[in-house]
Every structure is written in structure tokens, then in C-alpha cells.
Amino acid sequence: TVEHKLVSNETSITIVMKIKTNIMDTSVVTLVNTGYQSFNRDRATGSFGYIGSVDLDRQIGAIDITQKFLMLPGVQLVNGNPIIRGKSSLNASQSPLLVIDGFASELGYSSINPNDVESITILRDASAASIWGARASNGVIVITTKQAKKGSGPPVFSFNSSIQFQEMPNVNALRIANSSQLVDVEIEALDKGWYNLNNPENNLGYSRVYEIYRNRKNNMINEEEAKKQYDVLRNNDAWSQKDLFFRTGLISNQHLSVSGATNQNRYYISMNYQDIRATARQSEYKRMNLLVKNSYQIIPQLRFDADLNIAYHKGMNNGLNTYDFVRQRRYEMFVDENGNYVPAYEPYRSIQRNQDLMNKGYLDWNKNLKRDFDNFDKTWSMFAPRINFTLAWNATRALSFETKFQYERTE
């Protein structure tokens, strides 16, 4: 704008408009990637979704690439697996085809470091099948990883770290009968004859209340002793021992990357380390991802790319879920005041019957959730390397040749 001050004796003003030419910044043009080629989204046909690095970087603390998929419209996560085209079969797989840097990959989403992703393109309709064939029947997820821009200069280092806390499961929020109410329910059922005192196996099995009731019925204990034993059960609360199985979860995520480029060479190197402690004790997960990308312009017409991605995961899954914990009767403690395992009553076999069998040399068949928990040994590890090579030759402006090679495996 131009300001012009009027003079008192001025009677007319001549205004001349000038044309200003602006050149559109092509760096902000969205390029849709099909896995084979990239082009302006205005030229794209079919149904697709796209999200670039600017939006991806706004979400911090992501420990899995599937968390980024929720930023795209029309993507659902079912048990951690993305679904693009909705429910299409009762039994067949509904997982979309995963394409990473132009290659279809079978390593899965856990091999991808979310911090290394430059863009995500979702191909939904039949146009994806024209590119990838029948494997695209459930849609295609195309992921492009980061690479330094040509001529960007000296190395640029980047580091980010995040820590997340997960609250211990609040089992007390469940509306389940407490110990005293549960004792009353079982006594009422026994008073009404809903249990056969001589053959409990065909009902709901043995319980501590059942044992006390039967002993009183057979005059093995008096009414006062039975009431005293019932009161002990009423004051028990197995949920007070939830710290034996659960804790506050912790997720630690560190990412370090370095990138740089000259007129002939571009490189990007990143390392990601995650340490995940679940809210269930003895459930831990450690993950390391290494990505090395190098692009070398041999001559102006010839380019060679070499990429290496290594994913190593190690963990153990010995923890319990909430259901395993709350399904035990609340008046049956897991351990006593000395830390000893307390047998839980089970159908078909009383604690006394188990003791009789153990006296004859049989193994201990008593059930105790804490003992099972302490003896779990479910450890696992995964090593998944992926190597890509690309040789690109631009013969003329209208003719180019590109060949690619990929090797990947999981063990």
C-alpha cells in the first residue's frame, strides 16, 4: 500500500494501479506418493489420504507408527491394526498393504520409527489395485522416510525425548461385590439348598464359605466358631494386594538424528530407543531402531541410493490382565502376612483333597495366581533388518531408468 497526504488546494488525485507478479512457492505443493511415483495431489485420481511432516511432527511422544494413522481421515484401528476400507470379510485378513520407500514390506509396523516418517499416503479405492494388484484389495499405506534436501549444507543434529506415565488400573472402580457381600450371597445360596453339600463338583465347586458351612452342618465346628471364620473372610480383601501384580506404567522415548547434504551426496542417520514398562508387572518392552540413508550422485545423470534399517525388539510378557486379577473371590488372599502363597479354592478338588494327594507323593495341584505369576517365563525378541538399493539413470529429460533391490527378514 502507498499513502498519499492531501494538500488543501488539491482538487483531484490520479491513481495508477500496477501489476505485481508473484511466483508460487512450489515447496508447499503437496506431493502424493503411490509407492511408484510422486505427483501433485491436484493431478491424483481416486480416493486417497495424505499427511506430511509438518502435521506428523506436531504429535510428540508417539511410540508406534499406527498412532500416526489416526491423524488420517477414514482410518480405523482395531486391536492396533489399521483398517482402511472397512469390514470386508469375516475371516480373511483386512490388513492393508504396507509400502515403505517404494517397496512392499512384510516386516510390519513395529519396524518403523515414527520419528523417521516424512509423509504417509493412504490409497483406498480400485486405483490402488491398478498399481499393486490384488494385494491392494484392503488398501495401501505408503510411507516415505526422511532424507536430507539436496544442498542443505553441513550436518544438522536433532534430538527429542519424551516420558509418559500410565496410571495403575483402578480395579476399585468396578462395581463388583465386596468380600462381605460375597460371603452373604454364598451363605444364602447354601441355606436355600442350591448346592449339594455331598457333591459340590456338579455345582460351582468348593469355596471357603462352602467348607465352613459344611463343617458347621456336620457339627465339626459350633456356630460361634463358624461366625468367627466367616468374619475373617469378610475382613479379607484380595484387591488390597494389587501392588503384587500392577504398578504405574512408564514409557521412555529418545530419538537422535543427523542429516546433511552437498551437491553430490545426501545422508540421514537416526537412532531411536524406547523403554516401555507396562502397568502389569513383569511386562516390559525395549525397542531400538536404526536407519541409515545415503544417496550419491555419481555423475549428473546417474544416482545410487543405499538404505539400511535395523529393528531390534526385546521384551517379556509375564504380566496379568485385569480380568485374571478380579475373577478370584475377593475374600481369598493371594499371600498371607508372611508372604506365603495362599491356596485358592477351585472346582472339583478341595484343598484337603489336594493335601491327601500330596501326602501320597503327587505334585501340588493347589491354585495360586501369585505363584503362577512368579513362575511365568514368556520372553521374546525380534531382529528385523531391511536393506534397499536404488540405481537411477536419467538418459534424457523424457527418458529415465530406475532399478531397485530390497532384502528383508525377521528372526
Side-chain angles (χ1 to χ4, degrees):
T1 58
V2 178
E3 294 185 2
H4 179 76
K5 294 183 178 181
L6 294 176
V7 183
S8 58
N9 58 358
E10 246 183 339
T11 58
S12 64
I13 300 175
T14 302
I15 299 176
V16 179
M17 304 293 289
K18 294 183 179 180
I19 299 176
K20 182 179 179 181
T21 303
N22 291 325
I23 300 176
M24 185 176 65
D25 185 2
T26 58
S27 63
V28 299
V29 176
T30 301
L31 296 178
V32 176
N33 194 323
T34 66
Y36 276 103
Q37 60 179 338
S38 299
F39 45 81
N40 191 320
R41 67 182 303 169
D42 295 334
R43 297 177 51 231
T45 59
S47 178
F48 66 90
Y50 174 86
I51 186 169
S53 60
V54 175
D55 294 321
L56 289 171
D57 291 340
R58 289 175 181 170
Q59 185 187 49
I60 61 174
I63 61 174
D64 193 272
I65 187 61
T66 55
Q67 295 175 293
K68 302 285 188 178
F69 295 158
L70 294 176
M71 303 175 69
L72 288 156
V75 179
Q76 297 177 331
L77 281 185
V78 179
N79 297 324
N81 298 314
I83 295 180
I84 296 176
R85 303 186 67 181
K87 198 81 171 175
S88 58
S89 174
L90 294 176
N91 299 315
S93 173
Q94 299 170 67
S95 299
L97 176 66
L98 176 62
V99 178
I100 307 174
D101 289 334
F103 287 96
S105 177
E106 302 295 336
L107 295 183
Y109 305 108
S110 62
S111 66
I112 306 170
N113 175 12
N115 300 282
D116 290 335
V117 177
E118 177 72 21
S119 67
I120 302 175
T121 304
I122 303 293
L123 308 179
R124 299 191 184 96
D125 60 1
S127 62
S130 66
I131 301 173
W132 294 100
R135 301 178 67 186
S137 58
N138 293 321
V140 182
I141 298 178
V142 182
I143 293 178
T144 303
T145 57
K146 294 179 180 178
Q147 175 63 291
K149 300 295 186 292
K150 189 174 182 179
S152 58
V156 176
F157 291 86
S158 175
F159 175 77
N160 60 69
S161 176
S162 65
I163 297 178
Q164 303 177 45
F165 295 94
Q166 293 180 322
E167 186 179 1
M168 181 189 301
N170 184 16
V171 294
N172 293 314
L174 299 174
R175 301 181 63 182
I176 297 178
N178 58 35
S179 299
S180 181
Q181 293 169 336
L182 188 57
V183 170
D184 291 338
V185 168
E186 292 193 32
I187 292 176
E188 181 180 356
L190 288 163
D191 286 338
K192 293 183 177 181
W194 293 352
Y195 291 90
N196 185 347
L197 293 177
N198 298 317
N199 187 22
E201 290 89 346
N202 293 331
N203 299 286
L204 292 179
Y206 291 92
S207 74
R208 180 62 179 149
V209 172
Y210 175 94
E211 183 181 76
I212 298 172
Y213 190 93
R214 186 177 61 175
N215 290 341
R216 173 67 188 94
K217 201 77 172 177
N218 295 334
N219 293 319
M220 298 175 62
I221 58 175
N222 56 34
E223 185 66 32
E224 183 180 353
E225 180 63 25
K227 184 178 182 304
K228 185 184 298 183
Q229 294 183 17
Y230 285 142
D231 289 341
V232 171
L233 298 183
R234 295 179 191 277
N235 293 325
N236 286 345
D237 187 5
W239 289 10
S240 65
Q241 298 182 335
K242 66 179 180 179
D243 289 345
L244 297 173
F245 304 97
F246 303 105
R247 63 189 174 189
T248 300
L250 176 66
I251 301 175
S252 175
N253 187 4
Q254 285 83 35
H255 175 75
L256 174 65
S257 67
V258 56
S259 62
T262 64
N263 291 330
Q264 285 188 305
N265 184 39
R266 295 185 298 159
Y267 60 90
Y268 176 86
I269 304 172
S270 75
M271 171 75 74
N272 179 254
Y273 176 76
Q274 298 176 5
D275 188 357
I276 303 173
R277 296 175 53 197
T279 54
R281 293 187 181 274
Q282 298 192 40
S283 288
E284 298 179 357
Y285 173 55
K286 299 181 187 298
R287 168 177 167 178
M288 184 192 74
N289 281 77
L290 172 67
L291 176 63
V292 179
K293 300 185 68 174
N294 188 55
S295 178
Y296 190 76
Q297 196 76 34
I298 302 174
I299 59 176
Q301 295 80 22
L302 188 63
R303 188 188 82 250
F304 176 73
D305 299 340
D307 302 342
L308 170 65
N309 184 88
I310 296 177
Y312 178 72
H313 305 167
K314 183 179 181 180
M316 62 178 179
N317 187 23
N318 298 333
L320 301 176
N321 56 44
T322 308
Y323 174 74
D324 291 331
F325 177 78
V326 301
R327 66 192 296 261
Q328 180 164 312
R329 297 181 180 95
R330 289 188 68 170
Y331 60 70
E332 291 184 322
M333 306 297 286
F334 299 102
V335 295
D336 60 20
E337 59 274 6
N338 297 320
N340 300 317
Y341 301 129
V342 177
Y345 283 71
E346 279 198 310
Y348 313 121
R349 197 176 299 108
S350 68
I351 292 179
Q352 182 59 49
R353 176 58 176 163
N354 278 331
Q355 188 61 49
D356 294 340
L357 293 173
M358 290 171 60
N359 294 336
K360 295 179 180 180
Y362 290 94
L363 296 176
D364 184 3
W365 278 52
N366 284 321
K367 174 72 174 179
N368 182 273
L369 192 62
K370 181 64 168 64
R371 181 175 60 184
D372 294 344
F373 172 76
D374 291 340
N375 288 279
F376 284 155
D377 185 18
K378 301 176 184 177
T379 58
W380 57 273
S381 62
M382 185 193 78
F383 177 71
R386 185 177 71 248
I387 303 174
N388 298 345
F389 295 109
T390 301
L391 185 65
W393 176 44
N394 294 325
T396 65
R397 293 184 60 183
L399 178 64
S400 63
F401 172 80
E402 188 173 274
T403 181
K404 295 186 176 184
F405 168 81
Q406 173 175 271
Y407 171 79
E408 65 177 22
R409 66 186 178 93
T410 304
E411 62 180 31

